[in-house]
Amino acid sequence: QVQLVESGGGLVQTGDSLRLSCAASGRTFRRYIMGWFRQAPGKEREFVAAITRSGENIYYADSVKGRFTIARDNAKNTVYLQMNRLKPEDTAVYYCAVDENYRGTYYYLGSYDYWGQGTQVTVSS
């Protein structure tokens, strides 16, 4: 069982930045693919970004490419999502997730085994 705790959300204005953090329990964090997803009101949960074990491969949704950066610190069991130039359409609850079986289909919700409780990001216009 892996427990995930997100933090760093908040209310910001268009063009501002936020950094989300996700701390994971357990001693095998370095083996996991880590992903960030988001869910806006009335919409399905969607892929945002993913990073492989040592950060050798990183993936982004087209909607955030060039504005968001995913990174991980395996010594701290933490994955980050740096979000720059935020837009109102980025407003959502952001979730981190663990693919402990290295399925590799990083954009697919079903590839992930554990999820955090989410952190709210609200971008005002």
Side-chain angles (χ1 to χ4, degrees), residues 14-28:
T14 297
D16 285 351
S17 298
L18 277 176
R19 189 176 81 155
L20 305 183
S21 299
C22 173
S25 64
R27 295 177 291 179
T28 56

Side-chain angles (χ1 to χ4, degrees), residues 47-67:
F47 169 75
V48 175
I51 185 168
T52 52
R53 293 169 173 172
S54 297
E56 65 273 20
N57 292 305
I58 290 175
Y59 308 96
Y60 296 102
D62 287 343
S63 58
V64 306
K65 203 172 292 184
R67 298 188 298 123

Side-chain angles (χ1 to χ4, degrees), residues 59-78:
Y59 308 96
Y60 296 102
D62 287 343
S63 58
V64 306
K65 203 172 292 184
R67 298 188 298 123
F68 290 12
T69 302
I70 188 172
R72 66 190 297 161
D73 185 337
N74 288 341
K76 295 182 178 179
N77 280 18
T78 301

Side-chain angles (χ1 to χ4, degrees), residues 9-112:
L11 172 63
V12 297
Q13 295 184 335
T14 297
D16 285 351
S17 298
L18 277 176
R19 189 176 81 155
L20 305 183
S21 299
C22 173
S25 64
R27 295 177 291 179
T28 56
F29 177 81
R30 70 178 69 84
R31 300 181 186 175
Y32 306 147
I33 291 177
M34 298 298 299
W36 284 99
F37 288 75
R38 66 186 181 185
Q39 188 166 16
K43 296 187 176 181
E44 295 185 350
R45 195 170 298 190
E46 64 176 8
F47 169 75
V48 175
I51 185 168
T52 52
R53 293 169 173 172
S54 297
E56 65 273 20
N57 292 305
I58 290 175
Y59 308 96
Y60 296 102
D62 287 343
S63 58
V64 306
K65 203 172 292 184
R67 298 188 298 123
F68 290 12
T69 302
I70 188 172
R72 66 190 297 161
D73 185 337
N74 288 341
K76 295 182 178 179
N77 280 18
T78 301
V79 63
Y80 304 97
L81 186 67
Q82 177 67 42
M83 306 185 295
N84 297 330
R85 292 183 281 133
L86 283 161
K87 304 175 182 180
E89 50 263 45
D90 295 318
T91 295
V93 177
Y94 284 71
Y95 300 89
C96 68
V98 169
D99 171 4
E100 67 173 355
N101 293 304
Y102 214 79
R103 296 179 180 89
T105 310
Y106 53 89
Y107 52 84
Y108 177 51
L109 276 72
S111 293
Y112 294 85

